[in-house]
């Protein structure tokens, strides 16, 4: 029985920095998007919300 390693995708290391339409690029894209989202939420909680001020979502 052949077993794939959890660290490999398409026979390559899934943490490799590959560009183009590869599974590794999509993994990094998701990671960076999560970092950006958390950074924005922290920025918003600190009181410097541009999006909330522009869209008038919540009263001050």
């Amino acid at each position: 029985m052949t077993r794939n390693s959890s660290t490999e995708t398409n026979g390559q290391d899934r943490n490799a920095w590959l560009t183009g339409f590869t599974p590794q690029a999509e993994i990094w894209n998701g990671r960076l998007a999560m970092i950006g989202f958390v950074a924005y939420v922290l920025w918003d909680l600190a009181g410097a919300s541009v999006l909330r001020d522009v869209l008038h979502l919540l009263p001050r």
Side-chain angles (χ1 to χ4, degrees), residues 1-56:
M1 182 164 123
T2 304
R3 190 169 181 195
N4 291 340
S5 174
S6 64
T7 61
E8 289 188 5
T9 303
N10 292 342
Q12 297 178 349
D13 181 18
R14 69 177 176 179
N15 290 321
W17 188 264
L18 299 177
T19 58
F21 295 106
T22 62
Q24 290 84 356
E26 293 301 317
I27 289 171
W28 279 103
N29 184 27
R31 290 173 180 169
L32 295 174
M34 287 184 276
I35 290 170
F37 181 75
V38 169
Y40 179 76
V41 168
L42 293 175
W43 185 266
D44 187 60
L45 291 175
S49 174
V50 174
L51 187 62
R52 187 176 56 207
D53 292 342
V54 169
L55 297 178
H56 306 290

